[in-house]
Amino acid sequence: MNQEVPIAVVGVAGRMGRMLVDAVAEAEGARLCGVTERPGHPWVGRDLGEALGGAPIGVKVEDEPLEVFARARAVLDFTAPVATVAHAELAAQARLVHVVGTTGMAAADDARLDAAARHAVVVRAGNMSLGVNLLVELTRKVAAALGPDYDIEVVEMHHRHKVDAPSGTALMLGEAAAAGRGVELGQVADRGRDGQTGPRAKGAIGMAALRGGDVVGEHDVVFAGPGERIILRHVATDRMIFARGAVRAALWGQEQKPGLYAMRDVLGLG
Ligand SMILES: NC(=O)C1=CN([C@@H]2O[C@H](COP(=O)(O)OP(=O)(O)OC[C@H]3O[C@@H](n4cnc5c(N)ncnc54)[C@H](OP(=O)(O)O)[C@@H]3O)[C@@H](O)[C@H]2O)C=CC1
Ligand SMILES: O=C(O)C1=N[C@H](C(=O)O)C[C@H](O)C1
């Protein structure tokens, strides 16, 4: 009997979708059982291998997630908020592990993911790499150690195609910095300064987003104090770091009870 966990990839034509297919293929204990794209996408109905410009691999690109989910035990979802909330309901019905990398979700979308997590395992993170999740822990500790004399700024840069800002990672880092200080990010975030801003508010956590070229993802957390600056930095050079994290989460989730989990749970970071 085949013991490999059957995994579905939604949004397979996307920058991350293609990486996720490779990450499933290289992972021990996992196999690709189906892929989807948005209805009307030119890849729908084609063999995935041929759509990718290679030889056929016997996996057809589909546009009915429910049919694909029926064959799966986990789904990897790096698509768009409207698609991800729809997938969450279907994945919960099918009791699949839903690994959500999609960023730019609104509060109403968060509530729908929370509802789905009452019935199924949902692993959600704005960044699935080991390095960023370690940086999140470091940020919380440094923010707690330094206190309010050090101004915190989170600066991120991504490729020109990214549609949401600040990045999911920047929000994770901002939340960690706020948690280190015992406050909520929503109460102290200073996003998108422009014009006559006045001096910096004490205790603010600044967030700035740069967009351009093919930058995979770069994040700095700057602690600017009297006479010195500490800068914690993560530079992603290959999207496979996110894809491998997602597959790891899908396999880890097979043994968990329904609920909403983060990558720090998967990675055992506490
Ligand atoms: N958590 C993490 O570690 C990471 C998260 N991300 C996040 O992942 C998301 C995707 O990023 P990226 O791959 O660069 O974006 P892309 O736009 O390249 O990929 C998204 C894909 O999803 C497809 N899609 C949209 N709606 C549906 C649907 N209903 N069913 C199936 N497929 C659909 C899109 O098709 P179409 O283009 O035709 O609309 C597209 O092919 C973003 O939110 C990004 O921030 C990215 C990297 C790492
Ligand atoms: O859209 C991207 O590309 C990325 N999105 C995630 C984010 O919003 O932080 C993760 C990574 O930085 C790449």
Side-chain angles (χ1 to χ4, degrees):
M1 194 174 114
N2 191 344
Q3 298 296 317
E4 291 176 327
V5 174
I7 297 182
V9 172
V10 288
V12 71
R15 279 174 289 276
M16 278 305 299
R18 298 163 193 239
M19 293 285 149
L20 292 164
V21 167
D22 290 346
V24 173
E26 74 174 28
E28 256 181 56
R31 72 179 166 83
L32 190 67
C33 70
V35 298
T36 74
E37 249 305 333
R38 174 184 52 74
H41 191 283
W43 285 21
V44 171
R46 295 185 64 194
D47 181 275
L48 176 62
E50 288 179 339
L52 286 165
I57 60 168
V59 175
K60 202 168 82 172
V61 181
E62 300 177 54
D63 63 0
E64 278 292 345
L66 197 54
E67 288 175 14
V68 176
F69 290 5
R71 308 194 291 270
R73 293 210 337 247
V75 54
L76 310 181
D77 186 344
F78 291 60
T79 55
V82 66
T84 293
V85 293
H87 292 143
E89 277 156 34
L90 300 177
Q93 278 170 31
R95 301 291 189 265
L96 303 187
V97 175
H98 189 193
V99 179
V100 177
T102 307
T103 59
M105 311 276 275
D109 302 327
D110 293 345
R112 290 176 70 180
L113 281 190
D114 291 346
R118 287 202 284 273
H119 307 286
V121 174
V122 179
V123 184
R124 180 184 179 191
N127 194 305
M128 303 231 167
S129 74
L130 173 62
V132 158
N133 283 278
L134 281 173
L135 189 70
V136 165
E137 296 306 310
L138 289 173
T139 297
R140 185 175 49 74
K141 286 187 180 154
V142 175
L146 289 176
D149 274 351
Y150 285 74
D151 298 325
I152 304 177
E153 297 279 313
V154 181
V155 186
E156 52 113 334
M157 182 158 187
H158 284 86
H159 53 94
R160 63 167 68 105
H161 305 288
K162 185 159 178 64
V163 295
D164 56 307
S167 69
T169 311
L171 290 169
M172 286 168 71
L173 294 166
E175 279 159 11
R181 286 186 164 174
V183 295
E184 291 287 325
L185 181 63
Q187 290 165 351
V188 296
D190 192 353
R191 290 162 61 156
R193 296 187 188 100
D194 189 26
Q196 294 293 317
T197 60
R200 193 181 197 285
K202 193 163 174 75
I205 295 178
M207 315 277 294
L210 286 67
R211 295 286 176 267
D214 58 0
V215 175
V216 173
E218 299 184 1
H219 294 86
D220 279 6
V221 187
V222 182
F223 297 85
E228 63 179 355
R229 286 198 305 285
I230 298 165
I231 303 174
L232 303 182
R233 169 171 296 168
H234 183 269
V235 177
T237 55
D238 185 347
R239 288 187 176 84
M240 277 303 276
I241 61 172
F242 313 127
R244 290 193 184 110
V247 175
R248 185 168 172 173
L251 298 177
W252 175 88
Q254 300 300 314
E255 308 303 324
Q256 311 307 318
K257 294 190 180 127
L260 184 64
Y261 298 91
M263 264 326 263
R264 71 174 166 276
D265 302 313
V266 177
L267 298 170
L269 297 176

